[in-house]
Amino acid sequence: MGYPIGKFSKMVSLSIDTLRYYEKERLIIPARDQNNRRTYSEADQRWIAFIKRLKATGMPIKEIKTYARLRYQGNSTIDERLQLLFTQKNRLTAQRQEIDAHIAFLDLNLHFKCNTN
């Protein structure tokens, strides 16, 4: 079943302008009906959810675009896509370690009642 852009925009909680921008940037390539209107599928809905999740992880838009380009090229690009995901996971792990160090610093100072002498 195909969804017109207005309905799809509500389904995925993105504005029509954002969907058009995603199409312009080749993040999503919707099908077209006989009148050349965009039509979106359930698969497109899952893909948008995936893009939103990548954005939430802090993945740079340039890498999301690369991931999308590779995805549309098919299964022969799975290894390259996995590498992008591993790279982002490593970034997040490093950020988590840095945050944990900051929390430990604060815990230590809270324990000693902010004694900085």
Side-chain angles (χ1 to χ4, degrees), residues 54-73:
L54 289 179
K55 285 181 68 177
T57 72
M59 181 180 273
I61 191 70
K62 181 179 178 182
E63 291 181 21
I64 295 173
K65 286 180 186 181
T66 299
Y67 192 100
R69 180 180 48 80
L70 293 168
R71 176 185 177 267
Y72 282 109
Q73 290 176 9

Side-chain angles (χ1 to χ4, degrees), residues 4-68:
I5 194 168
K7 180 169 179 140
F8 189 73
S9 135
K10 289 181 178 117
M11 289 170 62
V12 297
S13 301
L14 292 174
S15 71
I16 290 173
D17 288 340
T18 298
L19 289 172
R20 287 181 178 146
Y21 170 76
Y22 281 9
E23 182 180 358
K24 178 181 165 224
E25 295 298 319
R26 311 276 303 158
L27 292 174
I28 187 165
I29 304 171
R32 298 283 181 154
D33 67 12
Q34 66 274 12
N35 295 317
N36 202 33
R37 292 186 189 122
R38 293 166 185 86
T39 181
Y40 297 89
S41 67
E42 300 285 333
D44 292 326
Q45 185 177 13
R46 290 187 299 275
W47 174 232
I48 289 290
F50 189 82
I51 291 171
K52 289 169 81 172
R53 192 59 183 255
L54 289 179
K55 285 181 68 177
T57 72
M59 181 180 273
I61 191 70
K62 181 179 178 182
E63 291 181 21
I64 295 173
K65 286 180 186 181
T66 299
Y67 192 100

Side-chain angles (χ1 to χ4, degrees), residues 85-100:
L85 296 178
F86 281 122
T87 298
Q88 185 60 20
K89 180 183 176 198
N90 290 338
R91 274 191 208 108
L92 289 173
T93 299
Q95 289 173 0
R96 180 174 53 196
Q97 290 170 346
E98 186 176 344
I99 290 169
D100 287 344

